[in-house]
Amino acid sequence: MPTLLPRPASQTTSPGEFVLTADATLSAHPDLVQPALRLQERLRAATGFVLPLNVSDTGSDVTASIRLGLDPTLAVEAFELETTPGSVHLMASSERGGHWGVQALLQLFPAAVYRRSAVATGAWTTPVTHVQDAPKFPWRGAMLDVVRHFAPTRDVLRFIDLLAMHRLNTLHLHLTDDQGWRVEIARYPRLTEVGGWRPETQVGAAHGSATDGRPHGGFYTQDDIREIVAYAGARGITVVPEIELPGHAQAAVAAYPELGVGDSAPTTPWTLWGINPVIFNVEESTIRFLSDVLDEIVDLFPSEYICIGGDECPKIQWIEDERTQDRMRELGVHDEEELQSWFVSRIGQHLASRGRKLLGWDEILEGGLADGATVLSWRGKVGAVTAARSGHDVVACPEDTVYLDYRESDLDSEPIPTGTVTTVEKAYSFDPVPAELDADEARHVLGGQANLWTEHIDSMRGLDYRAFPRLSAVAEALWSSGDRDYSEFAPRLTEHLARLDAAGVEYRPADGPRPWHERPGVSGRTRSAEESAAHLAKITANIG
């Protein structure tokens, strides 16, 4: 019998099976049309069956093979699914709950249901079963960095499908950084004309590594963003944008030098990895500029939260700049940490005026936390504890557990092995709520997310390899209630891999990378700068 991932709160199974046939039909309550359409699309693609959809106010067309009905007594993301030999009945109180019920139903079919085209697989059956389920946390997400390496719209849409498959409801889209600006801002076109393209890129993780000599770039038009947001929304997923400030600013400063500190501004986005000293200045004109940018972001993204970064902001430019020191005296702030807090608070006030909430990495705690801010706690759990105890909401994403760009083993064959070893089992152990919090404080933990930084992920194949199956483990950690046992999870994950195979996901095998996963010669742990330069010269010579 197929098992579900994430594990449901309750499932009982009886003898018998439901058989989907070519004359099957669907019915749905008007509030559940989008989940019904997603089910129809997937079943049509895999089986070739037409599956006509009837929309009725009750959603209880008894003649339909699969019925999606409304039950207002269920929690917002909860669902109840019952399959019998004659029909399937899915109940939810909201569109999002309907989406998650559809995903559970799809997992009950043979794994080939995830194929992109119709395939002969024998009978399309599910077991006779009754599932009652609801998520543990309201924020279950993944952060995708599209700055370090740009992901075309089609790849973002594919990633959204994979999030939906795992009942993850939030895509945090990292859109700006030192290495590029990836979203069109109509009022300031140079942000993408200049900031969207860098002349070359560092190869490998080691300090002093060579660069590749190849331009890299790209950006999303506002129509692209609308497409991404609508596609995600039609699958139960909210897209949360991130516009970095006051640090990670080189791409913006290269485009508009007046945003920078002092007289010498870079002319291109940064070509290296790491923490960059280039930051925004603290003039009112810069606050107005960033407010204008965020006005367009707010108009594009309906998300309740807008992420403003706030992390890894070195203060050396502010410390050494006479105008910034004068500005600090004008503002009455005592040090540069307090100045960053002032900067973030000003942006937070503007977002609040637009009806949105500020989200930022846990460095925004330093110098004083802006009113109403929500904290992304990534440096362990200290940020989560501090924020929750001060009455602020938290999204947990500790780097030692859910940074999925980190290596999965100490094998030399891991592609660009960065960070600490993060295995599937370690990812499965993720608990967003620090043990130190009492029940009242713990209510401030909205949930968690996995993060995928793309310095060393330059293709969708690379993203598949890094994300899966660890993201499958994180999904269960954020959805399922009760005790977790990896030995119980592992066989269900093995079964789930067949679904990933059918969906074309090139995940990392349990016994290590295959030769085509490796990126020869770019191991950040073993190659020196001299070796990097020689390797690049060899590549260049071969191309020539």
Side-chain angles (χ1 to χ4, degrees):
M1 183 194 77
T3 58
L4 298 179
L5 192 156
R7 185 191 68 219
S10 171
Q11 182 177 12
T12 57
T13 302
S14 304
E17 60 184 17
F18 166 77
V19 181
L20 186 72
T21 59
D23 59 354
T25 58
L26 299 174
S27 74
H29 186 278
D31 290 355
L32 301 178
V33 168
Q34 286 299 322
L37 289 173
R38 301 292 79 77
L39 178 63
Q40 183 188 56
E41 290 169 359
R42 179 88 315 270
L43 291 177
R44 274 183 179 178
T47 68
F49 301 160
V50 175
L51 294 159
L53 171 63
N54 175 42
V55 179
S56 67
D57 289 339
T58 62
S60 59
D61 178 359
V62 294
T63 66
S65 310
I66 303 176
R67 306 192 300 274
L68 282 71
L70 201 67
D71 181 353
T73 67
L74 294 174
V76 173
E77 292 191 86
F79 66 88
E80 185 170 358
L81 174 64
E82 185 171 17
T83 64
T84 71
S87 65
V88 173
H89 198 189
L90 169 61
M91 300 295 290
S93 67
S94 70
E95 183 177 291
R96 187 169 268 181
H99 282 299
W100 310 144
V102 163
Q103 294 300 330
L105 174 58
L106 289 171
Q107 288 190 0
L108 295 176
F109 283 104
V113 76
Y114 292 99
R115 292 281 295 270
R116 295 192 177 196
S117 57
V119 58
T121 187
W124 291 97
T125 64
T126 77
V128 170
T129 190
H130 183 204
V131 178
Q132 294 175 297
D133 208 359
K136 183 175 183 179
F137 293 102
W139 187 298
R140 307 179 307 282
M143 187 283 299
L144 178 60
D145 167 19
V146 295
V147 175
R148 277 44 178 261
H149 283 100
F150 179 65
T153 299
R154 65 180 181 274
D155 289 346
V156 177
L157 301 185
R158 177 180 180 271
F159 190 62
I160 287 168
D161 283 333
L162 294 174
L163 297 186
M165 179 182 182
H166 291 85
R167 301 185 226 161
L168 295 167
N169 65 5
T170 305
L171 171 60
H172 171 177
L173 204 56
H174 184 80
L175 290 165
T176 75
D177 215 298
D178 293 305
Q179 295 85 2
W181 187 285
R182 303 290 179 228
V183 56
E184 176 189 18
I185 301 298
R187 187 164 183 171
Y188 301 113
R190 285 177 60 83
L191 285 171
T192 48
E193 291 171 357
V194 175
W197 309 90
R198 61 177 181 264
E200 57 186 357
T201 299
Q202 178 177 327
V203 180
H207 179 71
S209 293
T211 51
D212 61 10
R214 296 181 300 172
H216 179 83
F219 64 91
Y220 306 106
T221 67
Q222 295 201 356
D223 282 343
D224 289 333
I225 293 296
R226 293 185 187 99
E227 179 183 4
I228 289 168
V229 168
Y231 190 90
R235 286 151 182 79
I237 294 171
T238 299
V239 183
V240 176
E242 179 175 357
I243 304 296
E244 276 273 15
L245 57 91
H248 289 287
Q250 179 159 326
V253 173
Y256 292 93
E258 63 271 24
L259 301 176
V261 178
D263 298 326
S264 58
T267 59
T268 70
W270 206 27
T271 61
L272 303 177
W273 311 136
I275 299 176
N276 187 342
V278 176
I279 61 177
F280 289 118
N281 66 44
V282 292
E283 303 295 337
E284 283 298 320
S285 58
T286 297
I287 297 294
R288 286 196 298 273
F289 182 102
L290 292 170
S291 296
D292 291 342
V293 167
L294 289 169
D295 282 341
E296 294 195 30
I297 293 296
V298 164
D299 289 341
L300 289 169
F301 294 89
S303 166
E304 179 182 5
Y305 296 88
I306 305 292
C307 185
I308 54 80
D311 60 309
E312 297 177 335
C313 180
K315 312 298 191 299
I316 188 65
Q317 287 193 333
W318 286 350
I319 292 170
E320 295 180 350
D321 179 61
E322 184 176 341
R323 170 56 190 154
T324 302
Q325 295 301 309
D326 288 343
R327 182 77 170 131
M328 288 172 62
R329 287 186 282 272
E330 292 173 11
L331 296 170
V333 301
H334 301 94
D335 57 33
E336 289 72 25
E337 298 295 339
E338 191 175 338
L339 182 62
Q340 177 171 342
S341 178
W342 170 86
F343 194 113
V344 171
S345 293
R346 285 292 304 277
I347 297 299
Q349 290 164 13
H350 183 73
L351 289 174
S353 75
R354 296 296 310 274
R356 305 303 178 88
K357 295 180 180 179
L358 182 148
L359 175 70
W361 303 98
D362 58 30
E363 286 93 333
I364 65 174
L365 288 161
E366 299 162 7
L369 193 55
D371 290 343
T374 297
V375 173
L376 288 161
S377 180
W378 72 276
R379 297 177 297 177
K381 293 192 175 181
V382 174
V385 171
T386 303
R389 286 180 172 169
S390 62
H392 287 263
D393 288 342
V394 174
V395 175
C397 50
E399 66 167 329
D400 63 351
T401 311
V402 292
Y403 270 43
L404 303 188
D405 51 301
Y406 283 6
R407 66 187 188 270
E408 297 189 50
S409 75
D410 278 323
L411 294 172
D412 289 337
S413 55
E414 291 287 358
I416 312 185
T418 58
T420 57
V421 172
T422 302
T423 63
V424 175
E425 185 170 4
K426 190 173 186 181
Y428 187 68
S429 72
F430 178 39
D431 185 351
V433 181
E436 302 95 307
L437 298 181
D438 63 30
D440 287 336
E441 295 164 343
R443 278 193 276 272
H444 285 289
V445 180
L446 303 178
Q449 66 181 38
N451 294 334
L452 285 151
W453 302 103
T454 60
E455 286 92 339
H456 313 299
I457 301 174
D458 60 3
S459 68
M460 201 62 192
R461 294 185 75 184
L463 184 67
D464 281 1
Y465 177 88
R466 297 292 180 136
F468 295 101
R470 292 183 293 181
L471 190 55
S472 306
V474 172
E476 177 151 313
L478 293 171
W479 177 279
S480 300
S481 300
D483 295 335
R484 272 180 279 143
D485 180 352
Y486 186 75
S487 65
E488 185 275 334
F489 171 74
R492 285 188 293 108
L493 179 61
T494 298
E495 181 181 330
H496 187 66
L497 296 182
R499 301 176 186 128
L500 297 181
D501 285 329
V505 177
E506 298 187 76
Y507 56 85
R508 181 189 185 276
D511 57 351
R514 299 294 183 257
W516 55 88
H517 293 139
E518 300 174 24
R519 300 182 61 184
V522 293
S523 168
R525 293 180 299 167
T526 60
R527 210 174 81 194
S528 67
E530 292 78 12
E531 290 169 331
S532 296
H535 179 72
L536 181 60
K538 181 178 179 181
I539 292 173
T540 304
N542 289 338
I543 293 173

